[in-house]
């Protein structure tokens, strides 16, 4: 799971960075295309964060079901 967390963190960080960059450029240049790009990057950032959370939770659920009857070490 550590590799998965790093991958999702890097992908989420890239989208968040693009979101902030496009927002900053929109504020500085007042270009509506950058506003649309920033909104899309924000949506992708939230999508990545929610996908990561969902996989973490359901991965723990599956792990609990698979190891339910095993004795504790």
């Amino acid at each position: 799971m550590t590799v998965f967390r790093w991958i999702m963190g890097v992908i989420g960080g890239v989208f968040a960075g693009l979101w902030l960059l496009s927002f900053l450029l929109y504020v500085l240049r007042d270009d509506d295309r950058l506003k649309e790009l920033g909104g899309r990057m924000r949506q992708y950032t939230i999508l990545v964060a929610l996908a990561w959370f969902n996989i973490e939770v359901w991965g723990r659920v599956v792990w609990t079901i698979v190891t339910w009857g095993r004795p504790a070490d």
Side-chain angles (χ1 to χ4, degrees), residues 20-32 34-35:
L20 292 174
L21 179 66
S22 64
F23 177 74
L24 178 66
L25 289 174
Y26 167 67
V27 169
L28 294 175
R29 299 184 68 197
D30 197 27
D31 188 359
D32 287 337
L34 291 168
K35 180 181 179 182

Side-chain angles (χ1 to χ4, degrees), residues 5-72:
R5 289 180 184 136
W6 271 98
I7 291 171
M8 293 301 282
V10 168
I11 292 172
V14 167
F15 280 123
L18 290 173
W19 171 25
L20 292 174
L21 179 66
S22 64
F23 177 74
L24 178 66
L25 289 174
Y26 167 67
V27 169
L28 294 175
R29 299 184 68 197
D30 197 27
D31 188 359
D32 287 337
R33 293 178 296 175
L34 291 168
K35 180 181 179 182
E36 294 171 8
L37 179 64
R40 191 172 311 272
M41 289 300 116
R42 178 180 47 85
Q43 291 171 349
Y44 286 139
T45 302
I46 293 170
L47 175 74
V48 168
L50 290 176
W52 165 76
F53 182 76
N54 196 14
I55 292 171
E56 286 277 343
V57 169
W58 283 106
R60 182 55 64 179
V61 168
V62 169
W63 177 258
T64 301
I65 290 171
V66 168
T67 61
W68 186 264
R70 294 184 186 172

